[in-house]
Coordinates of all heavy atoms in Angstrom, one line a residue:
L30 N 85.9 78.2 85.4 CA 87.1 78.2 86.2 C 87.1 79.3 87.3 O 87.4 79.1 88.4 CB 88.4 78.3 85.3 CG 89.7 78.3 86.1 CD1 90.0 76.9 86.5 CD2 90.8 78.9 85.2
M31 N 86.7 80.5 86.8 CA 86.7 81.7 87.7 C 85.7 81.4 88.9 O 86.0 81.7 90.0 CB 86.2 82.9 87.0 CG 87.2 83.4 85.9 SD 88.7 84.1 86.6 CE 88.1 85.6 87.4
Q32 N 84.5 80.9 88.6 CA 83.5 80.7 89.6 C 83.9 79.5 90.5 O 83.7 79.5 91.7 CB 82.1 80.6 89.0 CG 81.7 81.8 88.2 CD 80.3 82.2 88.3 OE1 79.9 83.3 88.1 NE2 79.4 81.2 88.6
E33 N 84.4 78.4 89.9 CA 84.7 77.2 90.6 C 85.8 77.5 91.6 O 85.8 77.0 92.8 CB 85.1 76.1 89.7 CG 85.3 74.8 90.4 CD 85.6 73.6 89.4 OE1 85.5 73.9 88.1 OE2 85.9 72.5 89.8
L34 N 86.8 78.3 91.2 CA 88.0 78.5 92.1 C 87.8 79.8 92.9 O 88.8 80.2 93.6 CB 89.3 78.6 91.3 CG 90.0 77.2 91.0 CD1 89.1 76.2 90.3 CD2 91.3 77.4 90.2
S35 N 86.7 80.5 92.7 CA 86.5 81.8 93.4 C 87.6 82.8 93.2 O 88.2 83.3 94.1 CB 86.2 81.6 94.9 OG 85.1 80.8 95.2
L36 N 87.9 83.0 91.9 CA 89.1 83.9 91.6 C 88.7 85.3 91.6 O 87.6 85.7 91.1 CB 89.7 83.4 90.3 CG 90.2 82.0 90.2 CD1 90.7 81.7 88.8 CD2 91.3 81.8 91.2
D37 N 89.6 86.2 92.0 CA 89.4 87.6 92.0 C 89.5 88.1 90.5 O 90.4 87.8 89.8 CB 90.5 88.3 92.8 CG 90.3 89.8 93.0 OD1 90.6 90.5 92.1 OD2 89.8 90.1 94.1
Y38 N 88.5 88.9 90.1 CA 88.4 89.3 88.7 C 89.5 90.2 88.3 O 90.2 89.9 87.2 CB 87.0 90.1 88.5 CG 86.7 90.5 87.1 CD1 86.6 89.5 86.1 CD2 86.5 91.8 86.8 CE1 86.3 89.8 84.8 CE2 86.1 92.2 85.5 CZ 86.0 91.2 84.5 OH 85.7 91.5 83.2
T39 N 89.9 91.2 89.0 CA 91.0 92.1 88.6 C 92.3 91.4 88.7 O 93.1 91.5 87.8 CB 91.0 93.4 89.5 OG1 89.7 94.1 89.4 CG2 92.1 94.3 89.1
L40 N 92.5 90.7 89.8 CA 93.8 90.1 90.1 C 94.1 88.9 89.1 O 95.2 88.7 88.7 CB 93.9 89.6 91.5 CG 93.9 90.6 92.6 CD1 94.0 90.0 94.0 CD2 94.9 91.7 92.4
F41 N 93.0 88.3 88.6 CA 93.2 87.2 87.7 C 93.9 87.7 86.4 O 94.9 87.1 86.0 CB 91.9 86.6 87.3 CG 92.0 85.7 86.1 CD1 92.4 84.3 86.2 CD2 91.7 86.2 84.8 CE1 92.5 83.5 85.1 CE2 91.8 85.3 83.7 CZ 92.2 84.0 83.8
F42 N 93.4 88.8 85.8 CA 94.0 89.3 84.6 C 95.4 89.8 84.8 O 96.3 89.7 84.0 CB 93.1 90.3 84.0 CG 91.9 89.7 83.3 CD1 90.7 89.7 83.9 CD2 92.1 89.1 82.0 CE1 89.6 89.1 83.3 CE2 91.0 88.5 81.4 CZ 89.7 88.5 82.0
N43 N 95.7 90.4 86.0 CA 97.0 90.9 86.3 C 98.0 89.7 86.4 O 99.1 89.8 85.9 CB 97.0 91.7 87.6 CG 96.2 93.0 87.5 OD1 95.9 93.6 88.5 ND2 95.9 93.4 86.3
E44 N 97.5 88.6 87.0 CA 98.3 87.4 87.2 C 98.5 86.8 85.8 O 99.6 86.3 85.5 CB 97.6 86.5 88.2 CG 98.5 85.4 88.7 CD 99.6 86.0 89.7 OE1 99.3 87.1 90.3 OE2 100.6 85.3 89.9
L45 N 97.5 86.8 85.0 CA 97.6 86.1 83.7 C 98.7 86.8 82.9 O 99.5 86.2 82.2 CB 96.2 86.2 83.0 CG 96.1 85.4 81.7 CD1 96.1 84.0 82.0 CD2 94.8 85.8 81.0
E46 N 98.7 88.1 82.9 CA 99.7 88.9 82.2 C 101.1 88.6 82.6 O 102.1 88.5 81.8 CB 99.5 90.4 82.4 CG 100.4 91.3 81.6 CD 100.3 92.7 82.1 OE1 99.2 93.2 82.4 OE2 101.4 93.4 82.1
S47 N 101.3 88.3 83.9 CA 102.7 88.0 84.4 C 103.1 86.5 84.3 O 104.2 86.2 84.7 CB 102.8 88.5 85.9 OG 101.9 87.8 86.7
H48 N 102.1 85.7 83.9 CA 102.5 84.3 83.8 C 102.3 83.7 82.4 O 101.9 82.6 82.2 CB 101.6 83.5 84.8 CG 102.1 83.5 86.2 ND1 101.7 84.5 87.0 CD2 102.9 82.7 86.9 CE1 102.3 84.3 88.2 NE2 103.1 83.2 88.1
L49 N 102.6 84.5 81.4 CA 102.6 84.0 80.1 C 103.8 83.0 79.9 O 104.9 83.3 80.3 CB 102.8 85.2 79.1 CG 101.7 86.2 79.1 CD1 102.0 87.4 78.1 CD2 100.3 85.6 78.7
N50 N 103.5 81.9 79.3 CA 104.5 80.8 79.0 C 105.1 80.2 80.3 O 106.2 79.7 80.3 CB 105.6 81.4 78.2 CG 105.1 81.9 76.8 OD1 104.4 81.2 76.1 ND2 105.5 83.1 76.5
Q51 N 104.4 80.3 81.4 CA 104.9 79.6 82.6 C 103.7 79.2 83.5 O 102.6 79.8 83.5 CB 105.8 80.5 83.4 CG 105.2 81.9 83.8 CD 106.2 82.7 84.6 OE1 106.7 82.3 85.6 NE2 106.5 83.9 84.1
K52 N 103.9 78.2 84.3 CA 102.9 77.7 85.2 C 102.8 78.6 86.5 O 103.8 79.3 86.8 CB 103.1 76.2 85.6 CG 102.9 75.3 84.5 CD 103.0 73.8 84.9 CE 102.7 72.9 83.8 NZ 102.8 71.4 84.3
I53 N 101.8 78.4 87.2 CA 101.6 79.2 88.4 C 101.7 78.2 89.6 O 101.4 77.0 89.5 CB 100.2 79.9 88.5 CG1 100.1 80.9 89.6 CG2 99.1 78.9 88.6 CD1 98.9 81.8 89.5
T54 N 102.2 78.7 90.7 CA 102.4 77.8 91.9 C 101.1 77.9 92.8 O 100.3 78.8 92.6 CB 103.6 78.3 92.8 OG1 103.3 79.6 93.3 CG2 104.8 78.3 91.9
S55 N 101.0 77.0 93.7 CA 99.8 77.0 94.6 C 99.8 78.2 95.4 O 98.7 78.8 95.6 CB 99.9 75.7 95.5 OG 98.9 75.7 96.4
E56 N 100.9 78.7 95.9 CA 101.0 79.9 96.7 C 100.5 81.2 95.9 O 99.8 82.0 96.4 CB 102.4 80.2 97.2 CG 102.8 79.2 98.3 CD 103.2 77.8 97.7 OE1 103.4 77.8 96.4 OE2 103.4 76.9 98.5
Q57 N 101.0 81.2 94.6 CA 100.6 82.4 93.8 C 99.1 82.3 93.5 O 98.4 83.4 93.5 CB 101.4 82.3 92.5 CG 102.8 82.6 92.6 CD 103.7 82.3 91.4 OE1 103.4 81.4 90.7 NE2 104.7 83.1 91.2
L58 N 98.5 81.1 93.2 CA 97.1 81.0 92.9 C 96.3 81.4 94.1 O 95.2 82.0 94.0 CB 96.8 79.6 92.4 CG 95.4 79.3 92.0 CD1 95.0 80.3 90.9 CD2 95.3 77.9 91.4
Q59 N 96.7 81.0 95.3 CA 96.0 81.3 96.5 C 95.8 82.8 96.7 O 94.8 83.2 97.3 CB 96.7 80.7 97.7 CG 95.8 80.7 99.0 CD 94.6 79.9 98.9 OE1 94.6 78.7 98.9 NE2 93.4 80.6 98.8
K60 N 96.8 83.5 96.3 CA 96.7 85.0 96.5 C 95.6 85.7 95.6 O 95.3 86.8 95.9 CB 98.1 85.6 96.1 CG 99.2 85.3 97.1 CD 100.5 86.0 96.6 CE 101.6 85.7 97.6 NZ 102.9 86.3 97.2
I61 N 95.1 85.0 94.6 CA 94.0 85.6 93.9 C 92.7 84.8 94.0 O 91.8 85.0 93.3 CB 94.4 85.7 92.4 CG1 94.6 84.3 91.7 CG2 95.7 86.5 92.2 CD1 94.7 84.3 90.2
S62 N 92.7 83.8 94.9 CA 91.5 83.0 95.1 C 90.9 83.2 96.5 O 91.6 83.4 97.5 CB 91.8 81.5 95.0 OG 90.7 80.7 95.3
Y63 N 89.6 83.2 96.6 CA 88.9 83.3 97.9 C 88.4 81.9 98.4 O 87.8 81.8 99.4 CB 87.6 84.2 97.7 CG 88.0 85.7 97.4 CD1 88.1 86.1 96.1 CD2 88.3 86.6 98.4 CE1 88.5 87.4 95.8 CE2 88.6 87.9 98.2 CZ 88.7 88.3 96.8 OH 89.1 89.6 96.5
G64 N 88.8 80.9 97.7 CA 88.6 79.5 98.1 C 89.9 78.9 98.5 O 90.9 79.5 98.6
L65 N 89.8 77.6 98.8 CA 91.0 76.9 99.2 C 91.6 76.2 97.9 O 90.9 75.5 97.2 CB 90.7 75.8 100.3 CG 90.3 76.4 101.6 CD1 89.9 75.2 102.6 CD2 91.5 77.2 102.2
I66 N 92.9 76.4 97.7 CA 93.5 75.8 96.5 C 94.2 74.5 96.9 O 95.1 74.5 97.7 CB 94.5 76.8 95.9 CG1 93.8 78.1 95.5 CG2 95.3 76.2 94.8 CD1 92.7 77.9 94.4
D67 N 93.7 73.4 96.3 CA 94.4 72.2 96.5 C 95.1 71.8 95.1 O 95.1 72.5 94.2 CB 93.4 71.1 96.9 CG 92.2 71.0 95.9 OD1 92.3 71.4 94.8 OD2 91.2 70.4 96.4
D68 N 95.7 70.6 95.1 CA 96.4 70.1 93.9 C 95.5 70.0 92.7 O 95.9 70.4 91.6 CB 97.1 68.8 94.2 CG 98.2 68.9 95.2 OD1 98.7 70.0 95.4 OD2 98.6 67.8 95.7
E69 N 94.3 69.6 92.9 CA 93.3 69.4 91.8 C 93.0 70.8 91.2 O 93.0 70.9 90.0 CB 92.0 68.8 92.3 CG 91.0 68.5 91.2 CD 89.8 67.9 91.7 OE1 89.7 67.5 92.9 OE2 88.8 67.7 90.9
N70 N 92.8 71.8 92.0 CA 92.5 73.1 91.5 C 93.7 73.8 90.8 O 93.5 74.5 89.8 CB 92.0 74.0 92.7 CG 90.6 73.7 93.2 OD1 89.8 73.1 92.4 ND2 90.3 74.0 94.4
L71 N 94.8 73.5 91.4 CA 96.1 74.0 90.7 C 96.2 73.4 89.4 O 96.6 74.1 88.4 CB 97.3 73.7 91.6 CG 98.6 74.2 91.1 CD1 98.6 75.7 91.0 CD2 99.7 73.7 92.0
E72 N 96.0 72.1 89.2 CA 96.1 71.5 88.0 C 95.1 72.0 87.0 O 95.4 72.2 85.8 CB 95.8 70.0 88.1 CG 96.0 69.2 86.8 CD 95.8 67.7 87.0 OE1 95.7 67.2 88.2 OE2 95.7 67.0 86.0
K73 N 93.9 72.3 87.4 CA 92.8 72.9 86.5 C 93.3 74.3 86.0 O 93.1 74.6 84.9 CB 91.5 73.1 87.3 CG 90.8 71.8 87.6 CD 89.5 72.0 88.3 CE 88.7 70.7 88.6 NZ 87.5 71.0 89.4
F74 N 93.9 75.1 86.9 CA 94.3 76.4 86.5 C 95.4 76.3 85.5 O 95.4 77.0 84.5 CB 94.7 77.2 87.7 CG 94.9 78.7 87.4 CD1 93.8 79.6 87.5 CD2 96.1 79.2 87.0 CE1 94.0 80.9 87.2 CE2 96.3 80.5 86.7 CZ 95.2 81.4 86.8
N75 N 96.4 75.5 85.8 CA 97.5 75.4 84.8 C 97.1 74.8 83.5 O 97.7 75.1 82.5 CB 98.7 74.6 85.5 CG 99.5 75.4 86.5 OD1 99.8 76.6 86.2 ND2 99.8 74.9 87.6
K76 N 96.1 73.9 83.5 CA 95.6 73.4 82.3 C 95.0 74.5 81.5 O 95.1 74.6 80.2 CB 94.6 72.3 82.6 CG 94.0 71.6 81.3 CD 93.0 70.6 81.6 CE 92.4 69.9 80.4 NZ 91.4 68.9 80.7
F77 N 94.3 75.4 82.2 CA 93.7 76.5 81.5 C 94.8 77.4 80.9 O 94.7 77.9 79.8 CB 92.8 77.4 82.5 CG 92.4 78.7 81.9 CD1 91.3 78.8 81.0 CD2 93.1 79.9 82.2 CE1 91.0 80.0 80.5 CE2 92.8 81.1 81.6 CZ 91.7 81.2 80.8

């Protein structure tokens, strides 16, 4: 998931800590990704 979505290593864990028991929005995910976040990628992340 990290490599496919080009996620930032440090920011991922910071975001993970703040999103326990809740989904993440496309805008929030884009802030920690160096790729383009579409609906499919958002679904993959929330499934994780």
Side-chain angles (χ1 to χ4, degrees):
L30 181 78
M31 293 292 289
Q32 301 216 154
E33 187 177 353
L34 273 58
S35 297
L36 299 178
D37 188 281
Y38 186 57
T39 300
L40 297 181
F41 167 83
F42 284 101
N43 295 164
E44 199 70 22
L45 191 67
E46 180 192 324
S47 63
H48 279 86
L49 297 178
N50 301 309
Q51 57 180 301
K52 289 186 176 182
I53 193 170
T54 67
S55 178
E56 291 76 14
Q57 289 168 329
L58 185 54
Q59 189 65 71
K60 289 181 180 180
I61 66 171
S62 171
Y63 294 91
L65 291 175
I66 298 301
D67 54 21
D68 290 343
E69 182 181 354
N70 287 336
L71 182 62
E72 184 179 348
K73 287 179 182 178
F74 192 90
N75 280 317
K76 182 180 179 182
F77 170 81

